[in-house]
Amino acid sequence: MISIENLKKSYGNIKAVDNLSFNIPKGETFGLLGPNGAGKTTTINMIVGILKPDSGSIQLNGETDPTQKEIRRQIGNTPQALAIYEDLTAEENLIFFGKLYNLSGAKLKERVSYCLDLVDLTNRKNDFAKTFSGGMKRRLNLAVAIIHEPQILLFDEPTVGVDPQSRNFIFDNIEQMKSEGKTIIYTTHYMEEAERLCDRVAIVDQGKILELDTVDNLINRRGGKSTVIAELSSSQKIDKLSKYEIKNNKITIETDSPLEIIKELSALDITFKSIHINRPDLEKVFLNLTGRRLRD
């Protein structure tokens, strides 16, 4: 469905995208993850034809020119910056963008009604977008992107600045689109979103792919050890725990076998206030690969 080969894009001496390659089959939700400046948005903009690559190729359904009208009709894009007109109502926004894709008459009316219902804005269809909350604007942005029934959907950080209810509503919409066989590229800084939504993820930094695999495989291979945290019921030193380092009345142990550690602690016949296992997750994988220093 989507094939990216040796894609490059530079701005002066800065290599925004540096020899990027990946393939996405039809119906997959593919996560593109990376710190600020990693090249995610530049890659998205080249896929939709806003930017021209310095070199490399992009194929969408076998076609190599994303600026072709018929190819653009297959793509729905929700950019970081809201692509809606705030001085139009929700319904007027959808009518306007629908007409850009040559929708008219009963078909346009049907799609506007469907999209408003999908993002739960039917009861606000006659209100100006500038009166909407951040979450409502994001939902309208999503509706605009799918008005023409695209088969390829590009979501570039679609939940930035929205409340938890709107975030989960957007997730439900994306999962419904996936169930309909849409092919999705999803960029985000929120690792739990990628864990929930994505079949595979590529972690990129400085324009290069560092790792590409399923979420589970990445966690197993790059997540590191689990951590067992056992909080004592008393702050007193206990002889049976002399082999463990106790800090702030807690024992913290990194291990590949957390259940064995819990079994070992239980055999000591000591009462603990709580015992937790923190298993590695995608965020730990991300930090292990890209480092912990701040990015501007």
Side-chain angles (χ1 to χ4, degrees), residues 130-189:
K130 64 185 176 184
T131 68
F132 289 176
S133 67
M136 293 168 67
K137 290 177 181 178
R138 287 285 171 188
R139 281 150 48 195
L140 180 57
N141 204 43
L142 172 61
V144 163
I146 64 170
I147 186 69
H148 56 298
E149 299 182 89
Q151 293 304 303
I152 298 171
L153 294 164
L154 307 176
F155 295 100
D156 195 1
E157 300 186 34
T159 63
V160 171
V162 305
D163 58 85
Q165 288 83 1
S166 291
R167 283 182 70 203
N168 278 282
F169 196 90
I170 290 170
F171 295 160
D172 290 343
N173 288 161
I174 292 172
E175 286 171 337
Q176 179 176 329
M177 293 172 202
K178 178 180 178 179
S179 72
E180 295 169 354
K182 309 291 188 186
T183 304
I184 299 169
I185 297 181
Y186 193 92
T187 82
T188 181
H189 284 122

Side-chain angles (χ1 to χ4, degrees), residues 6-19:
N6 306 122
L7 205 61
K8 294 183 179 181
K9 182 68 180 179
S10 296
Y11 300 99
N13 294 325
I14 299 174
K15 293 181 179 180
V17 176
D18 189 7
N19 211 37

Side-chain angles (χ1 to χ4, degrees), residues 237-246 251 268 270:
K237 291 282 186 179
I238 301 174
D239 292 341
K240 291 181 180 180
L241 297 172
S242 59
K243 66 177 285 189
Y244 305 104
E245 181 181 351
I246 301 174
I251 300 169
L268 297 175
I270 290 173

Side-chain angles (χ1 to χ4, degrees), residues 119-137:
V119 299
D120 198 26
L121 288 176
T122 299
N123 64 335
R124 297 292 301 272
K125 67 179 183 179
N126 294 319
D127 294 341
F128 292 112
K130 64 185 176 184
T131 68
F132 289 176
S133 67
M136 293 168 67
K137 290 177 181 178

Side-chain angles (χ1 to χ4, degrees), residues 278-293:
N278 291 339
R279 297 189 181 277
D281 55 16
L282 193 58
E283 181 168 338
K284 191 170 182 181
V285 173
F286 183 87
L287 292 173
N288 286 343
L289 289 169
T290 64
R292 295 176 178 268
R293 68 180 178 85

Side-chain angles (χ1 to χ4, degrees), residues 61-226:
N61 271 350
E63 299 292 336
T64 58
D65 183 2
T67 64
Q68 290 183 40
K69 185 178 293 186
E70 286 307 309
I71 297 301
R72 281 181 175 256
R73 287 183 61 86
Q74 298 180 42
I75 301 172
N77 185 31
T78 57
Q80 286 184 40
L82 291 168
I84 58 176
Y85 289 100
E86 298 209 346
D87 289 327
L88 297 180
T89 67
E91 185 176 52
E92 287 169 343
N93 265 282
L94 288 166
I95 291 171
F96 173 78
F97 282 101
K99 287 183 175 179
L100 291 181
Y101 289 99
N102 295 322
L103 298 178
S104 62
K107 181 63 175 179
L108 177 60
K109 185 177 180 180
E110 173 195 328
R111 288 301 300 166
V112 169
S113 177
Y114 172 84
C115 291
L116 285 169
D117 187 57
L118 180 71
V119 299
D120 198 26
L121 288 176
T122 299
N123 64 335
R124 297 292 301 272
K125 67 179 183 179
N126 294 319
D127 294 341
F128 292 112
K130 64 185 176 184
T131 68
F132 289 176
S133 67
M136 293 168 67
K137 290 177 181 178
R138 287 285 171 188
R139 281 150 48 195
L140 180 57
N141 204 43
L142 172 61
V144 163
I146 64 170
I147 186 69
H148 56 298
E149 299 182 89
Q151 293 304 303
I152 298 171
L153 294 164
L154 307 176
F155 295 100
D156 195 1
E157 300 186 34
T159 63
V160 171
V162 305
D163 58 85
Q165 288 83 1
S166 291
R167 283 182 70 203
N168 278 282
F169 196 90
I170 290 170
F171 295 160
D172 290 343
N173 288 161
I174 292 172
E175 286 171 337
Q176 179 176 329
M177 293 172 202
K178 178 180 178 179
S179 72
E180 295 169 354
K182 309 291 188 186
T183 304
I184 299 169
I185 297 181
Y186 193 92
T187 82
T188 181
H189 284 122
Y190 304 124
M191 297 299 110
E192 72 276 11
E193 293 186 5
E195 286 194 44
R196 172 174 171 172
L197 298 172
C198 298
D199 299 302
R200 291 186 302 150
V201 298
I203 297 178
V204 300
D205 199 8
Q206 297 180 348
K208 294 179 179 292
I209 291 180
L210 304 181
E211 286 282 358
L212 193 166
D213 211 330
T214 65
V215 171
D216 287 342
N217 285 347
L218 285 175
I219 291 173
N220 290 335
R221 194 169 69 249
R222 290 287 198 168
K225 299 177 182 294
S226 295

Side-chain angles (χ1 to χ4, degrees), residues 260-279:
E260 290 299 317
I261 293 297
I262 290 176
K263 183 178 179 181
E264 180 182 305
L265 293 172
S266 300
L268 297 175
D269 195 26
I270 290 173
T271 301
F272 292 94
K273 186 175 181 179
S274 64
I275 298 179
H276 297 286
I277 300 175
N278 291 339
R279 297 189 181 277

